[in-house]
Amino acid sequence: MSNHPPKMTAEHVNVFYGDKQAIRDVSIAIDQDNVTAFIGPSGCGKSTFLRTLNRMNDTVPNARVEGDIRLDGQNIYAPEMDVVQLRARVGMVFQKPNPFPKSIYENVAYGARIHGLAQGRAQLDAIVEQSLQRAGLWNEVKDRLGDSGTALSGGQQQRLCIARAIAVDPEVILMDEPASALDPIATARIEELIHELKGRYAIAIVTHNMQQAARVSQRTAFFHLGELVEYGETSEIFTNPREQRTRDYITGRYG
Amino acid sequence: MSSSLVPQLPIAGAEPAGRTPTDWTTPASAKRIARRYAAERRFRLLGLGAVVLSVGFLLFLLATMLGQGLQGFTETRVALPIDLRGRLAITPAQLEGRRGDLALAAAGLEGAVDAAANRAFAGQGGAAVLSEGAWLRVRDAVKADPSLLARPFMLAVPVGSDIDVAHKGAGTAEAEAAAARLPLSRGLNRTFLSAADATDPTRVGVWGALKGSLLTMAVTLALAFPIGVLAALYLEEYAPRNRWTDLIEVSINNLAAVPSIIFGLLGLALFLGTLGLPRSAPLVGGLTLALMTMPVIVIAGRNAIKGVPPSIRDAALGVGASRVQVVFHHVLPLALPGILTGTIIGMARALGETAPLLMIGMRAFIAAPPGGLASPATALPVQIFLWSDEVNRGFVEKTSAAIVVLLVLLLAMNGVAIWLRNKFETRW
C-alpha cells in the first residue's frame, strides 16, 4: 500500500435506472499506484459503478446518480466539472473491442487531436508511436498504421483501444471486462499490459474472472446485488474474506 | 441465502413408460419425406415464377418504350432543292450574329422556302409537306455558308408530322402514299434534345421539361437534404424520449404516407396563396416536393443513424469527445451511406411526381426552357402527361421518347445511389 491520498473516492453512491436501484450506498477509494478490481456475479452493478466514475452513465436515459465522487478531491458531479475534460482525465476501455472504423493511426490520434494535445504532425506522430508502444502494439502495426483498425485481431483491437485511451494522457483508466471477449493468449497479453501500465495510471478493472482479478489487482472490491460487500487487499479477499457472501462467491458457490 | 442461487434442475431419466424406439423406415415416414420435398419444389417454382413475371413486365415496359421512344429521337427529312437567287433582298454582310436571324426572317426566307417546296412537291402537297420549322434549318444553313445565297442547292429539311409518322409506318393511307413518292431520309432529331414544348410534334423538345425538372430537383435537394438530416440527427441523438417526440415520430411517419396531391394543395395554398410566389416556377415546385421528400429522408436517416453501433458512440465519448463531435466525427459519416440511399430514393420519387406539380401550375404550355428558378417551367413527368393527351399521332413517339429520357435519369440516380453506398460503406 502507498501513502498517497487516493486518486478517486466515492462516498455513499446510489445509482438508479428509473425506479430500479442498481447501486446501494457504495463507498470506495481507488489508489493511484494500485490496480483495483471489481468482482461479483452478473448484474451486481460492478459495471454500472465503473461507469459512474467517468460519468458514462450520463448518456443512459433515466439514469440518476446520488452521492459524492471525487477525482483528486474535486467533485466530478459538480456543475462546474466539464464532463468532456473529465472523460479525458478518466479514460475507458470497453468490454467489446470497439476501434473506430478508421485507420490505426487515426484511432490513436483521435483523442489527442480533439483535445488539441499535439502541435503539428510531428508531435502527433510521437504521441501515436508512444501510445502504441505503451499498449504493446507498436511492433505489430508500425508498418501498417494506415490499415483499418477493424482489420486487426480481437486482442490487437483491444490493445488498440487501450492505446487510444492512453493517447489522451489520462490519470485514471477504467476497464470494463477488457478481456472477456478474447482468447486466453490475448487475455494474457492484456493482463501483462495492465501490469506494465500500473503505477503510471490509476487503474480500475471490472472482471467476472476471479483468477484474473487475483492475477492483476492489488485491491479487490466484491459487489453483490448493488452493494459493496467487501473491499480490501486482493490477497486478503481471496484467502481470508471477512464476509460469508464473499467466501461463497470466490469458492464458486454461485456466480 | 445462497440456496436460492443454486439452479433447480429437473431430474433427468424419467422417460414416459412404454415408448418404443422410432422406426424411420416405415411407408408413412417415406411419404412424409416425399411431401416435404414436394413442398420445397413447389415453393421454389412459385418463387421463380414470381421473379420471371416481374422481370417479364419490366422487359415489356422497356421494349415498348424503347421501340417507340427511340423513333422519337429521329426525324424524317426530305431533300428540298432551293434557289434563293434574286428572291431575298439581303447581303452576306447582314448575316452576322443574332441580327442575321432577324434579317433573314424580315427578307421573307420562310415564304421563299415554302415557294421552293410548292415547286418541288407540287403533286404531293407542296409546302404542307414540310415541318413548320423547316425554314429554320435553311436559315441556319445560309448563315453557316453565305455562298448559298448565290447558287441553287439541295438541303434535307424536316417534314411535317403527317409524313413523318407515315414514313415511320403508322400514318394514314394518303400520307403513306405521299411519303412513298418523296425523296425521304432519316436523321437524328437534334431539336428534341434542345427545344421545349410546341404545338407541332416535329418541333417539340424535351429539354425545356428536363431543365425544369433539374431546377426543381435542385431546390428540393437543397432544402430537403439538410433539413431532413438535421431533423433525423436531432431526433436520434439529442431529443429526449417522451410523449412529444413520440407524437413527432408518428406525424413524420404519417407525412410520408400522405398522397402527393395533398402536398400539391398545400403548396398551392401556402406558396402561391399566402406567400404569393410565382406560379409554374421550379422554385415553388421544388418547395412543394421538398415537403414531400423531407419525411422520407428523416425516416431513412433515423434508421441509418440507429444502425450505427452504440459501441462507437461509447468509444468516442470515452476519449472525451463532446456530443457534437461524436455526431459529426463518427455517427454521421457512418450513417451517410444509408442517408444518401434514402435521399436518392426520395429524390427519385419526387422526380417522377406529377400530381403536386399540376396543382401549382407546372402543367402550363411553356414554349421556352426556363431561364431561372422563378421563370415558368414544366417538369418531365408533367410533360409526358401533357403529350400523352395530344390528338396528333406525332406525339405518341414523343411521349415514349420523353419517358425514355425520364427512365434514363431515374436509372442514373439509382446508379449513383448504389455507387455512393459502396463507396462509403464501412464494415465493423
Side-chain angles (χ1 to χ4, degrees):
Chain A
M1 286 289 310
S2 68
N3 299 317
H4 294 299
K7 187 71 189 169
M8 293 192 85
T9 56
E11 301 280 344
H12 307 295
V13 173
N14 291 301
V15 180
F16 301 86
Y17 291 127
D19 297 333
K20 195 176 148 274
Q21 187 163 8
I23 295 288
R24 291 169 198 277
D25 194 29
V26 169
S27 300
I28 202 169
I30 291 164
D31 293 337
Q32 169 66 53
D33 296 333
N34 287 321
V35 175
T36 307
F38 298 168
I39 61 170
S42 299
C44 69
K46 55 194 190 297
S47 288
T48 297
F49 182 72
L50 190 78
R51 289 167 68 95
T52 61
L53 297 179
N54 68 345
R55 293 182 58 177
M56 282 299 280
N57 277 334
D58 288 14
T59 61
V60 180
N62 295 328
R64 192 155 51 85
V65 179
E66 287 172 0
D68 186 71
I69 302 177
R70 291 177 182 272
L71 172 66
D72 286 337
Q74 196 183 1
N75 185 350
I76 66 169
Y77 281 87
E80 64 271 17
M81 170 56 77
D82 177 62
V83 67
V84 163
Q85 214 174 64
L86 170 71
R87 293 195 190 123
R89 290 172 66 189
V90 183
M92 191 154 195
V93 176
F94 297 85
Q95 180 172 9
K96 212 181 118 220
N98 56 355
F100 300 129
K102 301 181 179 202
S103 71
I104 293 169
Y105 184 94
E106 282 303 317
N107 263 284
V108 182
Y110 180 71
R113 191 174 276 155
I114 59 172
H115 294 295
L117 301 183
Q119 273 78 47
R121 181 78 188 191
Q123 226 174 349
L124 195 60
D125 286 350
I127 288 177
V128 169
E129 178 174 347
Q130 190 196 39
S131 305
L132 284 169
Q133 251 159 4
R134 282 196 191 152
L137 194 60
W138 176 251
N139 287 332
E140 290 159 65
V141 300
K142 64 183 174 196
D143 300 323
R144 50 186 180 123
L145 291 175
D147 287 9
S148 173
T150 51
L152 298 172
S153 74
Q156 289 174 324
Q157 285 189 18
Q158 195 60 299
R159 278 181 281 146
L160 179 62
C161 292
I162 293 173
R164 182 176 65 190
I166 292 172
V168 188
D169 196 25
E171 297 157 35
V172 183
I173 299 179
L174 309 176
M175 298 188 177
D176 188 358
E177 305 192 23
S180 66
L182 305 180
D183 64 60
I185 295 171
T187 302
R189 294 275 344 223
I190 299 284
E191 289 180 8
E192 273 170 45
L193 185 54
I194 293 170
H195 271 299
E196 287 159 22
L197 297 176
K198 182 192 141 209
R200 187 185 292 279
Y201 310 100
I203 296 175
I205 176 172
V206 163
T207 176
H208 56 217
N209 178 335
M210 282 176 290
Q211 287 75 27
Q212 185 171 66
R215 283 193 298 265
V216 302
S217 73
Q218 289 74 50
R219 314 261 299 155
T220 295
F222 171 60
F223 285 78
H224 186 230
L225 299 175
E227 289 169 34
L228 178 62
V229 177
E230 190 167 352
Y231 179 42
E233 298 287 319
T234 299
S235 50
E236 284 288 306
I237 295 272
F238 279 94
T239 54
N240 188 20
R242 291 189 304 274
E243 296 279 333
Q244 182 62 36
R245 280 194 280 173
T246 317
R247 191 184 307 274
D248 287 348
Y249 181 68
I250 62 173
T251 54
R253 296 281 294 277
Y254 59 87
Chain B
M1 68 127 299
S2 66
S3 67
S4 67
L5 291 157
V6 175
Q8 300 290 318
L9 287 177
I11 311 296
E15 266 183 36
R19 178 156 184 188
T20 51
T22 307
D23 181 7
W24 295 102
T25 57
T26 58
S29 170
K31 217 166 125 189
R32 261 201 313 276
I33 290 172
R35 260 211 312 276
R36 202 176 68 218
Y37 278 114
E40 297 233 351
R41 253 196 319 275
R42 238 181 356 253
F43 177 75
R44 250 203 345 243
L45 280 177
L46 277 176
L48 191 65
V51 170
V52 166
L53 199 66
S54 41
V55 169
F57 277 128
L58 188 66
L59 287 179
F60 177 77
L61 172 82
L62 283 179
T64 43
M65 285 308 134
L66 285 178
Q68 297 202 359
L70 289 183
Q71 284 198 340
F73 292 101
T74 65
E75 63 183 7
T76 309
R77 295 171 189 156
V78 63
L80 178 66
I82 308 174
D83 185 358
L84 296 174
R85 281 175 301 182
R87 291 178 192 275
L88 296 183
I90 198 164
T91 60
Q94 286 174 280
L95 295 178
E96 290 303 314
R98 186 111 182 102
R99 285 185 305 122
D101 292 352
L102 297 175
L104 280 168
L109 180 63
E110 187 171 6
V113 172
D114 282 354
N118 278 333
R119 270 196 313 282
F121 314 126
Q124 292 87 35
V129 166
L130 300 187
S131 157
E132 283 174 25
W135 71 277
L136 298 172
R137 299 290 176 87
V138 180
R139 182 191 74 187
D140 293 344
V142 170
K143 279 181 69 185
D145 181 6
S147 74
L148 294 180
L149 285 173
R151 59 179 170 84
F153 60 97
M154 293 286 280
L155 188 69
V157 293
V159 297
S161 181
D162 289 348
I163 306 287
D164 183 49
V165 172
H167 186 62
K168 287 167 180 170
T172 57
E174 58 218 272
E176 297 221 3
R181 280 172 290 154
L182 287 166
L184 297 178
S185 63
R186 199 75 83 81
L188 180 70
N189 187 350
R190 286 175 206 280
T191 319
F192 187 70
L193 291 174
S194 61
D197 204 0
T199 45
D200 178 358
T202 59
R203 292 184 68 188
V204 301
V206 80
W207 172 238
L210 182 60
K211 192 175 174 194
S213 269
L214 293 177
L215 288 173
T216 308
M217 286 299 106
V219 174
T220 304
L221 185 66
L223 278 171
F225 184 69
I227 298 178
V229 171
L230 286 179
L233 279 175
Y234 179 79
L235 286 173
E236 277 305 313
E237 298 289 323
Y238 281 93
R241 291 268 172 279
N242 58 30
R243 213 176 307 157
W244 289 110
T245 42
D246 285 351
L247 192 70
I248 290 171
E249 179 159 3
V250 170
S251 309
I252 289 174
N253 288 344
N254 281 333
L255 217 52
V258 167
S260 56
I261 191 138
I262 310 287
F263 284 103
L265 279 169
L266 176 65
L268 174 65
L270 181 64
F271 300 129
L272 299 189
T274 310
L275 299 179
L277 294 174
R279 60 194 59 220
S280 307
L283 176 66
V284 179
L287 286 168
T288 308
L289 292 179
L291 286 178
M292 207 187 79
T293 313
M294 216 148 48
V296 178
I297 296 180
V298 172
I299 291 170
R302 291 187 67 174
N303 284 334
I305 291 163
K306 269 196 200 113
V308 175
S311 64
I312 297 293
R313 292 184 182 84
D314 280 350
L317 288 171
V319 293
S322 69
R323 289 179 78 178
V324 170
Q325 286 169 333
V326 173
V327 166
F328 285 96
H329 293 169
H330 301 283
V331 175
L332 191 57
L334 292 175
L336 208 55
I339 295 176
L340 289 176
T341 310
T343 303
I344 289 179
I345 288 170
M347 293 295 289
R349 197 184 132 199
L351 177 66
E353 201 54 75
T354 320
L357 300 182
L358 300 181
M359 300 306 298
I360 54 142
M362 286 185 86
R363 61 158 302 168
F365 175 83
I366 314 285
L373 290 178
S375 50
T378 185
L380 264 179
V382 183
Q383 188 71 82
I384 291 166
F385 166 69
L386 290 175
W387 285 349
S388 72
D389 226 16
E390 291 278 351
V391 182
N392 194 320
R393 278 212 50 94
F395 277 105
V396 174
E397 59 175 37
K398 299 301 174 194
T399 308
S400 301
I403 291 174
V404 170
V405 172
L406 183 61
L407 284 179
V408 166
L409 206 58
L410 286 172
L411 284 178
M413 283 176 75
N414 283 332
V416 170
I418 292 169
W419 178 76
L420 282 174
R421 198 169 55 214
N422 291 339
K423 184 171 152 62
F424 289 114
E425 191 142 70
T426 334
R427 285 167 227 291
W428 48 76

